[in-house]
């Protein structure tokens, strides 16, 4: 797994819990069968990314599925909003259902982009096998030169991925807390 993942792992756990809560409250929605799989899949991807033994390939497939679901549902909500004249594209009136759905699908989209970027640099077993064979080859070569064969580059998350996830957590939890504190009573379904 990546060497500097403490912040990223905490952020992934926080996003997994937010998406799990979002999935659990979808049953009162008329189109819950769209949103429940989206949030559940996103939560599952975030949980998988926290485990060192999880498969990189599974994370990529699940993240791509959630990404495409998020894009399709974002387009669905935009069309529904435009056809009904409910709120504008840039509206952040969280009392409106379409605005909340737009925000939710956008959060899934951004988080899956970050998950795909992070999973593209994580080591999978095939890469580790190649790395071991390179170390063994270097060990044979180093016997004659006296250099250490075990010095390898540590894989690190790009800064934009690590801090992007932290910013995403701040925005998503900040908007959720603000909405629940000030607008939950006037919510429109």
């Amino acid at each position: 797994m990546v060497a500097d993942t403490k912040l990223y792992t905490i952020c992934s756990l926080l996003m997994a819990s937010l998406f799990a809560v979002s999935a659990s409250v979808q049953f009162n929605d008329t189109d819950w069968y769209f949103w429940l799989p989206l949030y559940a899949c996103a939560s599952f991807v975030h949980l998988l990314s926290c485990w060192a033994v999880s498969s990189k390939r599974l994370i990529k497939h699940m993240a791509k599925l959630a990404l495409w679901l998020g894009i399709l549902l974002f387009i669905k909500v935009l069309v529904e909003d435009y056809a009904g004249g409910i709120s504008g594209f840039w509206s952040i009136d969280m009392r409106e259902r379409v605005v909340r759905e737009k925000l939710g699908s956008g959060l899934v989209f951004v988080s899956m982009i970050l998950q795909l970027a992070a999973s593209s640099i994580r080591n999978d077993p095939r890469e580790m096998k190649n790395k071991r064979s390179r170390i063994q080859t270097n060990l044979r070569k180093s016997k004659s030169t006296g250099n250490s064969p075990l010095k390898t580059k540590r894989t690190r998350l790009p800064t934009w991925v690590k801090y992007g996830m932290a910013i995403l957590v701040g925005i998503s939890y900040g908007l959720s807390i603000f909405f629940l504190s000030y607008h939950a009573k006037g919510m429109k379904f």
Side-chain angles (χ1 to χ4, degrees):
M1 200 143 145
V2 180
D4 59 342
T5 58
K6 192 171 194 175
L7 174 65
Y8 190 81
T9 301
I10 291 169
C11 290
S12 286
L13 286 173
L14 288 170
M15 289 306 290
S17 65
L18 180 70
F19 288 137
V21 168
S22 297
S24 69
V25 297
Q26 291 304 311
F27 290 110
N28 68 347
D29 202 354
T30 57
D31 55 354
W32 64 268
Y33 43 86
F34 290 130
W35 298 97
L36 179 69
L38 174 72
Y39 293 133
C41 190
S43 178
F44 188 65
V45 168
H46 281 284
L47 284 175
L48 275 180
S49 71
C50 296
W51 292 334
V53 294
S54 64
S55 169
K56 176 177 147 179
R57 193 175 319 154
L58 179 62
I59 291 173
K60 280 187 176 185
H61 290 310
M62 293 293 291
K64 285 179 184 177
L65 175 67
L67 178 70
W68 283 109
L69 274 171
I71 290 170
L72 291 174
L73 288 175
F74 186 76
I75 292 170
K76 173 207 170 276
V77 171
L78 285 179
V79 169
E80 186 179 343
D81 184 21
Y82 181 73
I86 300 169
S87 65
F89 179 78
W90 296 107
S91 175
I92 56 169
D93 184 7
M94 296 289 283
R95 292 173 293 183
E96 297 289 344
R97 179 187 55 83
V98 292
V99 174
R100 292 189 306 271
E101 289 178 348
K102 218 181 335 182
L103 177 69
S105 58
L107 290 174
V108 170
F109 174 77
V110 173
S111 70
M112 292 303 108
I113 292 290
L114 293 169
Q115 286 291 343
L116 285 169
S119 69
S120 68
I121 62 167
R122 291 191 176 143
N123 295 329
D124 67 2
R126 287 174 291 170
E127 291 173 0
M128 294 304 290
K129 183 179 177 184
N130 292 337
K131 190 174 184 178
R132 280 192 291 265
S133 65
R134 281 195 309 263
I135 289 174
Q136 289 171 351
T137 303
N138 288 341
L139 181 61
R140 281 183 247 133
K141 288 179 183 178
S142 69
K143 286 183 180 178
S144 61
T145 61
N147 294 335
S148 174
L150 300 177
K151 290 183 181 176
T152 58
K153 283 178 80 174
R154 293 175 67 178
T155 308
R156 294 193 169 272
L157 281 172
T159 304
W160 68 273
V161 173
K162 184 171 49 172
Y163 293 118
M165 188 62 80
I167 291 169
L168 185 66
V169 166
I171 289 171
S172 60
Y173 273 87
L175 284 174
S176 298
I177 290 169
F178 178 78
F179 167 71
L180 290 173
S181 298
Y182 296 106
H183 293 295
K185 292 179 183 171
M187 204 165 47
K188 299 174 188 173
F189 292 99

